[in-house]
Amino acid sequence: MHATPAVVLCDLVGESGGTERYLERVLPELCHAGLDLTILARRVDRPDAFGVPAIETPWAQEHERPSTLAAAQVERRLARMRPAVVITSNVLDAGVLRAVRLHAPRWLARVHDQRPFCPNGDRVFPQFPAVCKAPMGGACAINALVRGCVCGPRAESFERIARRGAVRDELARADRVLVSSAAMALQCERNGIEAARVALTPPPLPRDAYGSPPENMPDRSIVFAGRLTPQKGLSSLLRALARIDALTRPRLIVAGSGDDEEPSRALARRLGIEVEWRGWLDQRAMRAAVDASAAVVIPSLWPEPFGLVGIEAQARGRPAVAYDTGGIRDWIDGAGLTARAGDERALAAAIEAVLDGRTWRRLARAAFDNAKTYDMDSHVRRMLALCAPQHAERVTCASL
């Protein structure tokens, strides 16, 4: 049987965040399952990182004007490659997306985060801690004037809003828009993308992700993993931990780095919180850190598109405690505990509750069972069905 030619357009080939981890895991599996893949990427740091040939095509970054040169290059390459399907991931150049629509027999647009629907990128107002719930458009212009969104009351703000709106409008023309959570599916619909075009495809776990959950709770420590930025909520977690009696307070392991690291270190010292600052950990070291701990905590203050670290911990038999934002609820219900976003008292109570031995054992078993639903084979089958036009009309959000 001949392999199906396919092209993937992505922002980065290399090591960065959850999007890159998703591609590194899934693309080789799709090749093995019958797709003949080639990558076109805005930036290629490691040509072999995803196990797929990669060609650098430097289109516009998220706040830049669309690149007519890059769009023409994409058009020529797609015309030469003649793919049966094109998959885009984190492409925020409307001209390039327009070229894809013109030259792709079938287009699957994967939306990994909030950027196609928010010029700020995170749906959080920059000048006070609140989440914007309005669809992108006129509300963004008003918020630029009165709430400092984008660049504040400057012409550049309105140009960026228009450019981001053009990206959203192009995505609405894709055959399917792939999202990781019900919250992101709703965000698509609120921004004018037809519900029938939206497909729920949560990220899978790699085949070697699963550990053996222990019968008893290990060391009383918890793990925070991710970029150290204000919206990831590490400072909020530190303040929540300060509410727990020092005699029973868990030790915190922080795996990650970013601009918020120094302020967070200073806050931890001031509050007397015991923290191990590990920096970025590779996959092996991250799993070891989770295995040695009781739970992970995801105190995100922005609407998390999914929360990949949560199911990665579940695969090791570790429950999560999280603020109930964005797509967190899709995977945590019954297998972890949540608190209202920003409610540090409730977050502290949830951390104390998950560290109770009986509660921990119940949630750990549920977490491990839940992780099995994010298996790679099921995800690959969903993707192949979406890639194949003869099967596409049978695939809906409900059936996935």
Side-chain angles (χ1 to χ4, degrees):
M1 184 176 67
H2 294 293
T4 301
V7 173
V8 174
L9 277 75
C10 65
D11 182 64
L12 171 67
V13 174
E15 296 178 354
S16 184
T19 301
E20 289 69 41
R21 279 153 60 203
Y22 170 83
L23 294 172
E24 188 170 22
R25 292 171 181 177
V26 172
L27 295 190
E29 296 281 349
L30 291 176
C31 288
H32 182 73
L35 294 187
D36 181 12
L37 287 174
T38 302
I39 293 175
L40 302 181
R42 184 185 62 80
R43 197 177 89 213
V44 177
D45 289 347
R46 294 174 50 196
D48 63 337
F50 300 155
V52 176
I55 302 169
E56 190 166 271
T57 307
W59 53 72
Q61 298 188 60
E62 60 180 295
H63 295 309
E64 296 175 341
R65 292 179 175 83
S67 169
T68 54
L69 176 61
Q73 288 179 328
V74 169
E75 285 195 46
R76 289 195 298 270
R77 284 169 174 156
L78 292 181
R80 185 173 66 251
M81 295 173 177
R82 297 172 65 89
V85 63
V86 174
I87 303 170
T88 60
S89 170
N90 277 358
V91 178
L92 296 171
D93 183 318
V96 169
L97 295 178
R98 193 171 303 116
V100 169
R101 179 66 287 174
L102 289 173
H103 295 277
R106 185 158 185 77
W107 173 22
L108 307 181
R110 187 160 190 88
V111 173
H112 288 273
D113 55 39
Q114 304 285 352
R115 287 179 294 173
F117 312 124
C118 174
N120 286 342
D122 56 10
R123 301 199 63 80
V124 176
F125 296 119
Q127 295 182 351
F128 59 97
V131 173
C132 176
K133 298 180 180 179
M136 187 166 61
C140 297
I142 294 171
N143 289 331
L145 292 172
V146 302
R147 291 176 167 170
C149 286
V150 200
C151 302
R154 297 165 52 193
E156 174 64 15
S157 289
F158 305 106
E159 292 175 11
R160 288 191 183 186
I161 292 167
R163 290 198 292 267
R164 194 58 55 87
V167 169
R168 176 203 55 201
D169 294 345
E170 291 300 329
L171 290 173
R173 301 172 64 206
D175 294 286
R176 289 290 188 273
V177 177
L178 313 185
V179 296
S180 296
S181 66
M184 287 303 297
L186 181 60
Q187 198 65 258
C188 288
E189 294 169 34
R190 285 175 173 168
N191 280 273
I193 298 175
E194 297 173 2
R197 292 180 184 264
V198 180
L200 189 60
T201 56
L205 290 163
R207 300 179 192 281
D208 62 351
Y210 300 89
S212 299
E215 287 298 318
N216 296 306
M217 187 173 64
D219 183 51
R220 280 179 63 87
S221 60
I222 57 176
V223 173
F224 169 97
R227 299 187 312 277
L228 303 189
T229 63
Q231 298 310 330
K232 285 293 185 178
L234 178 56
S235 294
S236 185
L237 171 58
L238 292 170
R239 290 190 295 269
L241 288 172
R243 292 178 172 275
I244 300 175
D245 188 281
L247 295 177
T248 59
R249 183 186 301 150
R251 179 169 50 95
L252 174 62
I253 296 170
V254 173
S257 62
D259 294 341
D260 209 33
E261 181 170 346
E262 285 308 314
S264 296
R265 283 178 177 264
L267 179 62
R269 288 193 296 268
R270 181 167 62 80
L271 296 175
I273 307 298
E274 181 185 358
V275 182
E276 288 187 20
W277 303 90
R278 301 274 186 92
W280 282 112
L281 300 179
D282 62 23
Q283 181 174 274
R284 183 190 297 270
M286 187 65 217
R287 288 177 182 171
V290 171
D291 287 348
S293 301
V296 299
V297 182
I298 305 173
S300 295
L301 299 170
W302 75 307
E304 280 284 354
F306 184 75
L308 184 59
V309 68
I311 62 168
E312 290 175 337
Q314 288 183 342
R316 315 303 292 181
R318 301 301 188 272
V321 176
Y323 281 141
D324 188 2
T325 63
I328 296 291
R329 188 170 294 187
D330 277 28
W331 53 264
I332 201 171
D333 276 358
L337 299 176
T338 62
R340 183 173 58 84
D343 188 340
E344 292 164 2
R345 186 183 300 275
L347 183 63
I351 292 170
E352 289 186 287
V354 85
L355 295 177
D356 171 76
R358 181 178 297 179
T359 302
W360 183 89
R361 283 189 292 273
R362 173 176 60 81
L363 292 175
R365 286 192 295 268
F368 188 70
D369 290 342
N370 187 63
K372 296 175 185 176
T373 65
Y374 295 96
D375 65 290
M376 182 65 72
D377 288 340
S378 296
H379 185 81
V380 170
R381 285 195 299 271
R382 293 169 185 163
M383 289 297 297
L384 291 178
L386 289 164
C387 286
Q390 63 268 31
H391 300 307
E393 297 310 316
R394 303 176 195 171
V395 181
T396 66
C397 254
S399 66
L400 290 176

